[in-house]
Amino acid sequence: MKAMTRINNKGDDAYLDRLLSYFQSKFQEKIKQFVPIRKKVYYVKTKKNSYIIKGYRSNKRLKLQETFTTTLKNEGFSKTYLFVQPVKETLFFEGIHYGVIEYIEPHKTAFSYHSKENIVKGLKLLEEFHKVTATFETRYRTLISKGDQIGKWQERSAIFVNNLPVLEYFLNPSYLTEMLEWAKWSLDGITENSAFFEKEPFVILHGDVAHHNFLRDASGDLHLIDFDLIQIGPKVLDYLQYANRILPYLDWSLERFSEFEPMKKFLKEKAFIYALAYPSDIFREWNRIIRENSQTRPSKTKYVMELTVNQFHLRRKFFNQLKKMV
């Protein structure tokens, strides 16, 4: 038997030992390798196969994920994973329900938004995902919630404002004031033009189009993974999030951004233009860092400081261009 692989800083060793022992008792094959990836997510290798084991707070959440990925596959979206059953019985350990996911061997080069080619490939895969989920979203309306972009961002802004006493130790107060003005202008404009989000056809939204949820397999094919945040809503909500993810890599250039479809089409809509101005990434990351009390750790703040400070003047220029468009 190969030695177990352990990432020492990914959790309590005693807990991991108990968890591994439990998994070993339930798997039909001997586990030869066990690697914590992140909280409640583990890589497991047996003699014949490799798997990802993922934990959920409730059996309802797990069953939704199992059902949704099966529906995706059955309706023709093949570029994702399925939940599998290489175990003797349902996995439930110390209050967490675990599902077993087929393992997709990753490519040596991970997907990122650094290149135009990758951005285009991600957009095409997201478009394919929406096209398929549009065919069955009505079946899931009682199972998952409807996306509320305005409410979500209003709450994010409120939390950011509550965090100002802490943020003022790290950021120029004038920057904070200006970013809150961007957010208010954006939310006011979205609210005034909210009908746009209702007239668009509904799909099932992925809800988290970060680069790490696009997985390039060993052969180079791109897959979409992790559907924990799926919601019902117009596809433009996923594209807004995608826009917020790629713009830092485009130096907040409206000209470069408008080269991508369907972004070019959406730029004709006032609601979309207003929404692009909302500093979603900055608010999200600072709120998370303060919630986790990790604002004094440079390893945790390096990325968000780049977004907030180093790119501030580029974002200001981008914001002023958006204002002229409406």
Side-chain angles (χ1 to χ4, degrees):
M1 177 175 166
K2 293 181 181 178
M4 299 298 175
T5 302
R6 175 68 49 79
I7 299 177
N8 293 326
N9 64 351
K10 289 291 183 177
D12 176 71
D13 283 344
Y15 174 81
L16 291 176
D17 287 339
R18 296 197 309 274
L19 183 61
L20 173 57
S21 178
Y22 174 77
F23 286 158
Q24 186 66 84
S25 71
K26 301 301 180 186
F27 265 71
Q28 295 170 355
E29 296 181 45
K30 195 75 172 177
I31 294 176
K32 304 186 73 172
Q33 194 174 22
F34 174 70
V35 183
I37 297 175
R38 60 182 186 272
K39 187 177 181 181
K40 296 190 291 187
V41 181
Y42 308 90
Y43 167 80
V44 164
K45 182 177 178 61
T46 67
K47 184 176 181 179
K48 296 181 180 180
N49 298 292
S50 294
Y51 306 99
I52 297 294
I53 303 179
K54 186 171 182 177
Y56 296 87
R57 289 177 294 175
S58 70
N59 190 52
K60 182 179 179 181
R61 286 176 178 264
L62 170 58
K63 293 304 178 185
L64 174 61
Q65 292 299 307
E66 291 176 345
T67 303
F68 179 71
T69 50
T70 299
T71 305
L72 268 182
K73 288 275 191 175
N74 290 343
E75 295 296 330
F77 188 80
S78 60
K79 296 174 182 177
T80 191
Y81 50 65
L82 278 176
F83 283 78
V84 292
Q85 297 294 328
V87 291
K88 301 170 186 176
E89 57 188 72
T90 302
L91 300 177
F92 179 71
F93 182 77
E94 296 190 6
I96 301 297
H97 299 262
Y98 287 94
V100 184
I101 301 170
E102 60 181 344
Y103 180 69
I104 300 173
E105 184 71 35
H107 195 273
K108 60 182 179 180
T109 304
F111 179 86
S112 74
Y113 291 135
H114 285 87
S115 73
K116 182 176 181 179
E117 180 184 9
N118 276 1
I119 291 173
V120 170
K121 286 182 177 179
L123 284 168
K124 287 182 177 178
L125 185 59
L126 192 58
E127 181 182 15
E128 184 181 340
F129 173 77
H130 290 151
K131 185 176 180 180
V132 172
T133 64
T135 66
F136 65 83
E137 61 88 12
T138 53
R139 290 183 243 164
Y140 279 79
R141 289 189 180 182
T142 59
L143 299 175
I144 56 180
S145 62
K146 181 182 175 183
D148 177 13
Q149 197 67 59
I150 296 173
K152 177 182 176 181
W153 282 355
Q154 285 175 334
E155 181 181 13
R156 187 168 291 179
S157 291
I159 295 171
F160 191 80
V161 169
N162 287 338
N163 287 330
L164 285 177
V166 177
L167 290 164
E168 286 171 352
Y169 282 101
F170 300 93
L171 300 171
N172 186 322
S174 67
Y175 281 15
L176 294 170
T177 299
E178 196 163 341
M179 286 187 292
L180 286 169
E181 289 173 355
W182 299 347
K184 183 180 186 306
W185 182 85
S186 174
L187 286 170
D188 287 348
I190 297 170
T191 301
E192 185 178 343
N193 295 274
S194 61
F196 168 71
F197 299 105
E198 294 298 327
K199 73 178 183 181
E200 283 280 292
F202 280 12
V203 300
I204 296 180
L205 303 164
H206 182 276
D208 187 10
V209 292
H211 68 89
H212 52 77
N213 286 331
F214 290 85
L215 174 64
R216 182 184 284 118
D217 68 18
S219 66
D221 291 332
L222 199 59
H223 299 256
L224 193 57
I225 63 174
D226 286 347
F227 304 101
D228 294 355
L229 299 181
I230 52 174
Q231 289 185 312
I232 301 289
K235 62 185 177 181
V236 66
L237 298 186
D238 266 348
Y239 287 119
L240 275 171
Q241 191 181 92
Y242 198 95
N244 197 250
R245 295 286 185 173
I246 66 174
L247 276 164
Y249 298 98
L250 302 175
D251 296 326
W252 294 91
S253 167
L254 188 59
E255 181 180 1
R256 293 172 65 187
F257 178 73
S258 64
E259 293 174 1
F260 298 99
E261 291 290 355
M263 305 306 187
K264 183 177 182 179
K265 180 190 74 174
F266 286 133
L267 281 170
K268 298 175 183 177
E269 300 288 345
K270 279 189 175 183
F272 186 78
I273 295 170
Y274 278 111
L276 282 178
Y278 188 83
S280 177
D281 51 349
I282 292 175
F283 286 12
R284 179 190 66 242
E285 293 301 315
W286 276 115
N287 288 345
R288 178 183 58 80
I289 285 170
I290 293 173
R291 182 176 68 248
E292 297 173 354
N293 197 30
S294 55
Q295 60 269 21
T296 59
R297 298 167 60 185
S299 62
K300 295 290 186 180
T301 60
K302 181 180 178 181
Y303 171 67
V304 71
M305 288 297 286
E306 168 69 22
L307 292 175
T308 311
V309 179
N310 295 354
Q311 296 186 13
F312 183 83
H313 295 289
L314 291 173
R315 293 182 80 137
R316 174 191 279 160
K317 179 181 177 182
F318 180 74
F319 174 73
N320 287 332
Q321 287 179 305
L322 295 177
K323 284 188 74 173
K324 291 178 181 178
M325 292 176 68
V326 295

